[in-house]
Amino acid sequence: MKSYDWIVVGGGITGAAVSYELAKKGFTVLLLEKYPTLKGATRYSYAILPYWSSTTDLTNQLFQEAKERYHCLSEELETSTQFRELDLLLTIALKDDPEKIAATFNHYNTIPHLISVQEACEMEPLLNKEAIAGALTVRNGHVSPEATTLAYSQAFTRLGGQIEIAEVTGLVKTGDNATPRYHERITGVYTTGKTHHAANVVICAGGISRHFLKSVGIHTRIYFTHAEMLEIPPTDLQLHTNVMPAVQERFQCEATTSTAEFEQMWDEPGHEFVPFSLDAGAIQFNNGCIRIGQISRVLTDPHAKIDPVQSEVAMRSEIGKILPALEHLTATWHHCLIAYSADNLPLIGAIPNQEGIHIFSGFSSPFAFVPPLAKRFANYIVGENDEIIKQLSPHRFV
């Protein structure tokens, strides 16, 4: 019976990057992914790299490492990530005072530049000048989420890593009914019809991580929103910038709903803590497709049913105010879960009181933070001291 050094659960950007970095260290690694084609938050991501938005020494260091990493990552992985830099426009609503909105960005490492309506429309001719009071602009990094994840996965298999398409249904534990839970050890995972054994398991399952871990009796302070977006197939219409609202409600929803007072309710299906938020933004990828959205719903049931018709109407209406040319283009509605934590930083490392299991999830900016942190995680596993990985440990919430 084959046993691996590591089993990685989840084949999105987090799982693919962690698998690659662990395999680079010489570990035998099995990556398990439920779907044969990319789905979930990785597939429907904007894949923006907001280097400018750091507010602490820790996030500033990670953003700088990410920027350096992406400049050489395609060469290292031998496949293009479609890395590029482009202008971001943060639109300011008519009801808001541009100077006051600009002041809220003064604590960022790179302060976006306040520009007039006319200047914004010169940068992005598709903007509706009657719908905004101004805008902020700054340079962003950007990659293709599909290309980047595929690049990591292919590089992983070239190193001898194995990928299997299978749904993980449970964890293999040592001990018996008399063994205290904190003396148990995770020694593998169950999939439909199979058991895989490993010295360590790392959960990289994004928004479903909390639900999965709860199903096997493990509590973590990780949460999720139901995110919705529309994808327009490749079009000749050209966006010159990435457009997002300057005031994004999603982050306020996350901060409000990850406090200790809601913790017990998170494990009960059927709760919706706050009304849904809609942040009207749009980004065009190299192949010409455009993703617009997004709606964020804080629903405690990961399998909650959502009416795509009403959501599409709402998203089209809001994006139509800012970018009228996009409102009526053919598009497909998509839905996924997005993970977040109680302090807007990811959870990385061993799960408290349970040997053999780790987590690598909860990223607010996954395509920026995952490459440097996956590398740091693998270095930490082989004994390198890393104060950043220690700071991101799930133990901080115990």
Side-chain angles (χ1 to χ4, degrees), residues 143-318:
V143 293
S144 161
E146 297 98 321
T148 303
T149 306
L150 178 63
Y152 268 120
S153 297
Q154 291 179 337
F156 166 62
T157 57
R158 286 196 299 271
L159 290 170
Q162 291 184 249
I163 299 175
E164 184 171 316
I165 304 303
E167 180 179 4
V168 176
T169 57
L171 299 176
V172 182
K173 302 179 182 180
T174 59
D176 52 35
N177 293 335
T179 304
R181 187 172 68 82
Y182 51 82
H183 285 157
E184 291 178 337
R185 180 174 180 86
I186 304 303
T187 58
V189 303
Y190 298 108
T191 64
T192 306
K194 273 189 179 182
T195 302
H196 296 283
H197 297 277
N200 292 280
V201 174
V202 56
I203 305 300
C204 301
I208 202 66
S209 297
R210 182 187 181 97
H211 181 72
F212 172 74
L213 289 168
K214 176 180 177 291
S215 73
V216 294
I218 297 173
H219 175 78
T220 51
R221 287 197 65 185
I222 191 169
Y223 313 95
F224 55 89
T225 57
H226 290 255
E228 303 166 67
M229 51 80 71
L230 298 175
E231 185 169 66
I232 298 168
T235 174
D236 291 335
L237 197 69
Q238 186 176 0
L239 277 168
H240 292 78
T241 62
N242 172 207
V243 179
M244 298 291 290
V247 179
Q248 295 184 39
E249 296 180 6
R250 168 195 157 197
F251 299 115
Q252 182 56 47
C253 288
E254 292 178 358
T256 301
T257 57
S258 58
T259 58
E261 65 180 295
F262 290 120
E263 194 63 26
Q264 183 175 345
M265 295 172 67
W266 265 104
D267 293 326
E268 303 168 356
H271 295 294
E272 183 172 13
F273 299 129
V274 293
F276 76 81
S277 63
L278 201 172
D279 296 313
I283 187 164
Q284 188 166 35
F285 291 79
N286 283 354
N287 67 355
C289 82
I290 300 174
R291 292 179 191 166
I292 63 176
Q294 78 178 31
I295 287 178
S296 299
R297 301 177 191 270
V298 188
L299 305 169
T300 58
D301 181 357
H303 305 296
K305 300 297 182 184
I306 295 170
D307 182 356
V309 176
Q310 291 186 358
S311 295
E312 183 169 343
V313 169
M315 283 188 283
R316 285 185 180 277
S317 174
E318 288 303 306

Side-chain angles (χ1 to χ4, degrees), residues 124-135:
E124 182 50 75
L126 295 182
L127 274 177
N128 175 14
K129 65 181 180 180
E130 305 297 333
I132 61 174

